[in-house]
Amino acid sequence: MLHRFFGGVHPIEHKDLTEQKAAVPLPEAPAQVVIPLSVNGGEPGLPLVAEGDSVKVGQQIAQPQGLGAPIHASVSGKVSAVESRSYGGGGKMLSVVIDNDFQDTPCPDGKRRSSATGITGGEIRKLIEDAGIVGMGGAGFPTSAKLESGLGKVDTLIVNGCECEPYITSDYRLMLERGEAVIEGARLLAKALGAQKTVIAVETNKPDAIELLRAQAGGEEDLRVQPLRTRYPQGAEKQLIQTLTGRQVPSGKLPVETGCLVFNVATAAAVWEAVMEGKALTRRYVTVTGGALVRPMNVIAPVGTPVSWLIKLAGGFQMPPDRVLLGGAMMGTPLYDLDAPVMKTTNCVLCLTGDEVGRQDPAQACIRCGKCAEVCPMKLAPLFIRMNAEKRRWEAARALHAMDCIECGCCGYICPARLPLVQSFRMAKAAIREEKSRSGAGTGEEQKKGEGEG
Ligand code: SF4
Ligand code: SF4
């Protein structure tokens, strides 16, 4: 039986720009890639290469420090620098810069296997770790660590193919084009986790993907493909768990407490490639879209490809974009340096025109209509959290559960006063985090680790 999550909105989907366009390898490879040594903004990895070294595709170039994943070369060529460069998370990050030799010479370390029969859960987790796989739905949390955290606690594995954000079609194309990798990757994840049940969740606006995955799954009882009503943010981790199982992630707790773990479909496909083909995570499906582009498209891009290169391949701008986002229209983050690279978590480059952004008149005063609270899927009171955030009353914002905000943007989307609510909440969360880390207490922030698989 399915359940409903509270709130949510129905933004215009805009997926028609790219949903019928098969994902293609880059028609022209970039001359240089810039590979950041951290995916999730954490401590950068320790470089294993230096300027002048030759590298092959899939060769490990950095060792994680802290909570990170190994990083691998996405093209073959010569390392031209190991230095701080712009990256998609904003600011700069230690990166390995590789001049592409256009040979795509593979690293011989990866081993193919013809069957996964007999492989143990521990072996799968080790292959996932060595391949540098992270949550590809947004958070960039190392997949092997997430699996370890769920051992003995999880009965249900959820594979997220909802892709509820407007404009993005990279997961949709992946499900259509790599259905076998998604299903078999889900089976490998279930084995690595020891989960009894696997549910692959797909919104009903993708009927062909549902049909194809069901055919691929073959009607086994322990793995089902579940269509879900199209409603934003259906693909958010907590909302997905609630819809599928009725279980709610308690405030300040991790999703694993509900006996569920959620992985994105792209993560599942990457797991299949790592285990069966011996491939490290070095490329991913990316939707390059928005009304400002001449030719929106889906591509399979090496990690480290400059966003500006993807924009060029999409025909460039037909008009100056009002803004460029990494991610979708609701949760995407502004990109200020177009030469920033594609990362393992980059599912979309969105180039919006002024018309697509909509009304841009200045924000008005709050009229206390309460609409923000009606749509908040976390049942928060956004107007009161904002009032306190504006006055820098962080303790009051925390008491109103600001840390539970999943930054989905529903409140800002519906607000008739056009108040920048999510920005206020991000600021409040950062301040609360800082205060708590000064005092050494927990914040509930650890929840972020598992988020973003939507
Ligand atoms: S939707 Fe906007 S105007 Fe209405 S109560 Fe919320 S913050 Fe105020
Ligand atoms: S951004 Fe936060 S406060 Fe606003 S609707 Fe989403 S969860 Fe609620």
Side-chain angles (χ1 to χ4, degrees), residues 233 239 372 375-382 385 402 404-412 421-422 425:
Q239 284 60 39
C372 51
V375 299
C376 176
M378 294 305 294
K379 297 188 180 172
L380 304 178
I385 298 176
D404 285 344
C405 169
I406 58 170
E407 299 175 24
C408 65
C410 289
C411 52
L421 298 167
V422 181
F425 305 152

Side-chain angles (χ1 to χ4, degrees), residues 365-373 382-383 386 411 414-419 421:
C366 171
I367 56 172
R368 301 213 172 199
C369 63
K371 286 186 178 171
C372 51
L383 70 164
R386 178 183 172 275
C411 52
I414 208 80
C415 175
R418 296 189 54 76
L419 288 162
L421 298 167

Side-chain angles (χ1 to χ4, degrees), residues 386 388-392 394 407 421-433:
R386 178 183 172 275
N388 285 296
E390 291 297 295
K391 292 177 181 158
R392 306 176 74 79
W394 310 129
E407 299 175 24
L421 298 167
V422 181
Q423 287 90 320
S424 292
F425 305 152
R426 284 187 184 139
M427 186 178 70
K429 288 170 73 176
I432 294 168
R433 212 176 292 144

